[in-house]
Amino acid sequence: MSLAIRFNFSIIVEDQMYYDLVEGRNDILTLPYTKDSIFKGDFLTLSPKSANYEQMNFEIIGHVNTIEDKDGKPIEKKMRVTPIFKCDSNKLSTIMQQCHFNLVYLNEMKKRIEEQIQSLDEQINYNHKCLSDRESTLNYSILCLNEKRQELSMHELMDSQSVLSRYNVKLTDKEKLETTINDLTAQINKEVQEYKDLKSETNTLETQLKSSMELKQYIVSQITSNKNEIVNYQKLIQT
């Protein structure tokens, strides 16, 4: 098959592929590999195998990818195409109406996503503040624990007279110190676990926020695409 570049050339394809391309369910066309160059903006005519008379013109809108076999030999070309509809005012008006419906739906989705993004952002900021407060509390608890441990160590090493003069405690206070240390240790373990749980929750929220922002970006691109289609169809109707 020789391809005439910048001119229409006809190709017969499988029925399902043809109708998927015409109805917009797919825009990828796969052809057997040829040495002919195919570029964005070139044209071709496709027809289904079962009905050669039912033809549709297409424009190539994407760059060609070459598919190779396991030995590196090119076997197929893949490209993105879009059907070129005849200027039927009624049909174009119907398509434009669908684009308007799409815009209403997409704008509503965009509004909801923006609300979700705002809510997630506020919750994440609040969590970060709580994490900072919990970290300060945890550091203070650890400081208190270290002081009590040092006090207990000195309590065990020094005689009662020295302890009394330095810490104003008696040897009988050792049990109280050990109890305090145990209580502080349990409190720190609890604070550490709460900090980890809050950190994990914040990471999950940040992942959700990233996904929501990516979805918003996609919706915005779809809104722009539908607006451009409406403008193009309006120009076709006027023409």
Side-chain angles (χ1 to χ4, degrees):
M1 177 181 65
S2 178
L3 305 183
I5 303 307
R6 293 291 172 185
F7 297 92
N8 279 3
F9 54 92
S10 298
I11 302 173
I12 297 175
V13 296
E14 297 292 336
D15 289 12
Q16 188 61 48
M17 175 186 289
Y18 173 81
Y19 291 110
D20 283 348
L21 291 170
V22 170
E23 295 172 10
R25 288 195 294 265
N26 188 21
D27 65 350
I28 302 297
L29 176 66
T30 302
L31 295 176
Y33 177 78
T34 70
K35 292 183 179 180
D36 301 276
S37 298
I38 305 175
F39 300 98
K40 182 177 179 181
D42 294 338
F43 303 95
L44 67 157
T45 301
L46 299 183
S47 58
K49 282 187 175 182
S50 63
N52 294 343
Y53 60 87
E54 189 173 1
Q55 297 181 340
M56 174 70 74
N57 293 326
F58 289 80
E59 180 183 0
I60 298 173
I61 61 174
H63 296 292
V64 177
N65 294 325
T66 301
I67 309 301
E68 300 177 346
D69 60 16
K70 60 181 181 179
D71 299 322
K73 180 180 177 181
I75 54 176
E76 291 178 338
K77 286 183 176 180
K78 285 193 174 185
M79 65 202 73
R80 293 182 62 229
V81 299
T82 185
I84 303 173
F85 295 99
K86 293 181 180 179
C87 191
D88 183 335
S89 295
N90 292 332
K91 188 173 183 179
L92 289 176
S93 296
T94 301
I95 296 173
M96 284 177 57
Q97 187 178 19
Q98 183 61 52
C99 288
H100 280 295
F101 285 144
N102 291 344
L103 281 176
V104 172
Y105 172 73
L106 288 168
N107 280 314
E108 182 62 27
M109 279 193 64
K110 178 172 173 284
K111 180 181 177 181
R112 294 181 182 180
I113 291 297
E114 286 175 342
E115 291 174 352
Q116 183 180 21
I117 287 174
Q118 181 178 357
S119 176
L120 286 169
D121 191 51
E122 290 174 354
Q123 184 63 47
I124 288 170
N125 290 333
Y126 175 76
N127 281 14
H128 278 301
K129 182 178 180 302
C130 290
L131 283 170
S132 178
D133 293 341
R134 288 176 184 271
E135 190 172 357
S136 299
T137 301
L138 182 60
N139 289 336
Y140 177 75
S141 297
I142 292 173
L143 178 63
C144 292
L145 177 62
N146 289 335
E147 288 179 350
K148 292 301 179 183
R149 282 175 174 169
Q150 290 176 1
E151 186 176 340
L152 179 61
S153 297
M154 294 297 292
H155 204 300
E156 292 173 342
L157 291 174
M158 298 171 64
D159 59 82
S160 59
Q161 188 62 37
S162 300
V163 171
L164 181 62
S165 61
R166 291 202 176 202
Y167 295 103
N168 194 27
V169 294
K170 301 177 181 179
L171 287 178
T172 52
D173 292 333
K174 180 182 177 182
E175 291 183 1
K176 293 181 180 179
L177 280 173
E178 290 174 342
T179 301
T180 302
I181 289 173
N182 291 336
D183 292 342
L184 280 171
T185 301
Q187 176 184 335
I188 288 172
N189 290 337
K190 180 182 177 183
E191 291 175 356
V192 168
Q193 187 58 50
E194 289 176 347
Y195 181 89
K196 288 181 178 179
D197 291 343
L198 185 58
K199 184 67 175 176
S200 176
E201 176 189 327
T202 304
N203 290 339
T204 301
L205 291 173
E206 288 175 342
T207 301
Q208 292 176 359
L209 177 61
K210 181 180 178 182
S211 299
S212 296
M213 294 182 72
E214 289 174 351
L215 178 58
K216 178 187 174 182
Q217 186 177 1
Y218 171 77
I219 292 174
V220 169
S221 69
Q222 292 300 304
I223 290 174
T224 302
S225 176
N226 275 268
K227 287 181 178 179
N228 291 338
E229 284 190 39
I230 291 173
V231 172
N232 292 336
Y233 290 136
Q234 285 175 335
K235 289 180 180 178
L236 280 174
I237 291 176
Q238 291 172 359
T239 303

